[in-house]
Amino acid sequence: MKKQFAVIGLGRFGAEVALTLAANNCDVIAVDKDEARVRELADRVALSVELDATDEKALREAGVQNVDVAVVSIGENIEASILVLMLLKDMGIKNIIAKAQSRMHGRILYQLGVRQVVYPERDMARKVARGLIMPEFMEHIELSPEYSIVELPAPDAFAGKSILDAKLRTDYGVTVIAIKKQGLDKGGKELWNINPLPSDKIQSGDTMVVLGANGDIERLRKISPE
Ligand code: ATP
């Protein structure tokens, strides 16, 4: 069965989330009180409904209580954002992601049990800045302000060594969660070793995906090739 999502608030952020989910074969209920925004998504998501999301009855009539994940993308009207969130929690939806427009807003959302708070502009700005400072970090996922998952080229010093012998955990405090080998397989696909064993070898030209504290990752980056 397709995964079911509700996206509440169809500004730039909410609309983009809804469209990306729908393009990836997910069932999306898109909700906004603005008729024009609802109309824009009408043919592109499973259900696009004009309603005031602070109205529990209207949300239930749209079937929002049945979704696996809800995304609350109401920024400016903090009161509406909080009210909607409480209604969704009351409906028993456990996995809720919400957009915040300020730190205080974000803190309130976390206190009320949101699983993930996003600050679209801040998050994107940080990603762009990090890309400028550390272009060798091909991909960077911030798990918390202190911990991240990053892709980086395997340092030459590790070439031919196993993950254990490279002492990635003991000396650098990071865990290797995947290794991408250089080149492609016969079918043209990338060669990934996901969840590698401690005995798996690192070769020059490999890309490592590591999880760890930002400071530890930074130390590793210093010995990675540019
Ligand atoms: P973005 O920055 O993502 O473009 P925005 O600038 O349009 O968003 P927001 O305040 O975040 O501003 O509003 C997002 C959307 O949420 C708007 O389309 C608005 O109509 C909708 N919205 C606000 N309150 C409610 C509500 N109570 N019920 C349904 N939709 C709402």
Side-chain angles (χ1 to χ4, degrees), residues 51-63 65 87 91:
L51 58 83
D52 183 337
T54 59
D55 176 350
E56 181 174 0
K57 190 160 163 276
L59 281 179
R60 285 190 183 274
E61 276 168 11
Q65 73 279 12
L87 290 178
M91 286 177 187

Side-chain angles (χ1 to χ4, degrees), residues 1-225:
M1 205 176 122
K2 283 188 192 174
K3 211 166 176 184
Q4 318 260 320
F5 293 85
V7 179
I8 310 210
L10 305 174
R12 285 161 302 176
F13 181 76
E16 207 53 50
V17 171
L19 290 172
T20 305
L21 289 168
N24 284 280
N25 208 26
C26 299
D27 254 342
V28 178
I29 303 175
V31 168
D32 203 294
K33 61 180 182 180
D34 181 314
E35 195 253 331
R37 293 194 162 172
V38 169
R39 201 169 351 106
E40 251 178 61
L41 266 69
D43 300 331
R44 300 154 79 188
V45 299
L47 183 64
S48 187
V49 207
E50 179 190 341
L51 58 83
D52 183 337
T54 59
D55 176 350
E56 181 174 0
K57 190 160 163 276
L59 281 179
R60 285 190 183 274
E61 276 168 11
V64 168
Q65 73 279 12
N66 300 320
V67 302
D68 303 296
V69 185
V71 181
V72 182
S73 176
I74 301 173
E76 240 154 69
N77 187 342
I78 295 183
E79 191 182 332
S81 151
I82 292 169
L83 247 156
V84 171
L85 170 61
M86 305 220 8
L87 290 178
L88 296 173
K89 296 240 30 138
D90 284 351
M91 286 177 187
I93 301 170
K94 294 200 173 58
N95 196 351
I96 304 175
I97 294 163
K99 176 179 98 164
Q101 61 130 16
S102 66
R103 254 178 88 76
M104 187 53 80
H105 185 194
R107 281 177 64 184
I108 295 169
L109 295 173
Y110 269 130
Q111 293 273 342
L112 293 173
V114 163
R115 196 164 280 183
Q116 189 191 351
V117 174
V118 285
Y119 302 82
E121 294 199 335
R122 187 203 72 177
D123 295 348
M124 197 56 195
R126 284 187 179 175
K127 197 169 174 180
V128 168
R130 252 192 321 253
L132 295 172
I133 299 162
M134 303 176 274
E136 59 277 45
F137 278 18
M138 299 164 208
E139 191 56 71
H140 188 130
I141 300 166
E142 192 178 81
L143 299 175
S144 75
E146 289 92 33
Y147 292 91
S148 303
I149 295 177
V150 304
E151 261 187 32
L152 75 175
D156 291 338
F158 297 166
K161 288 189 181 163
S162 67
I163 293 174
L164 191 67
D165 292 340
K167 298 194 173 154
L168 278 153
R169 186 149 317 156
T170 48
D171 285 2
Y172 290 91
V174 303
T175 302
V176 180
I177 58 175
I179 297 176
K180 185 167 75 173
K181 297 285 173 199
Q182 214 170 20
L184 302 170
D185 72 7
K186 284 184 197 143
K189 283 201 184 134
E190 290 181 336
L191 293 156
W192 281 95
N193 177 358
I194 306 289
N195 213 358
L197 298 169
S199 56
D200 285 348
K201 288 224 160 67
I202 301 165
Q203 305 294 355
S204 129
D206 284 355
T207 300
M208 303 190 306
V209 182
V210 302
L211 162 96
N214 294 335
D216 290 332
I217 291 172
E218 180 61 21
R219 282 196 298 126
L220 193 56
R221 185 187 72 80
K222 289 204 172 117
I223 62 159
S224 291

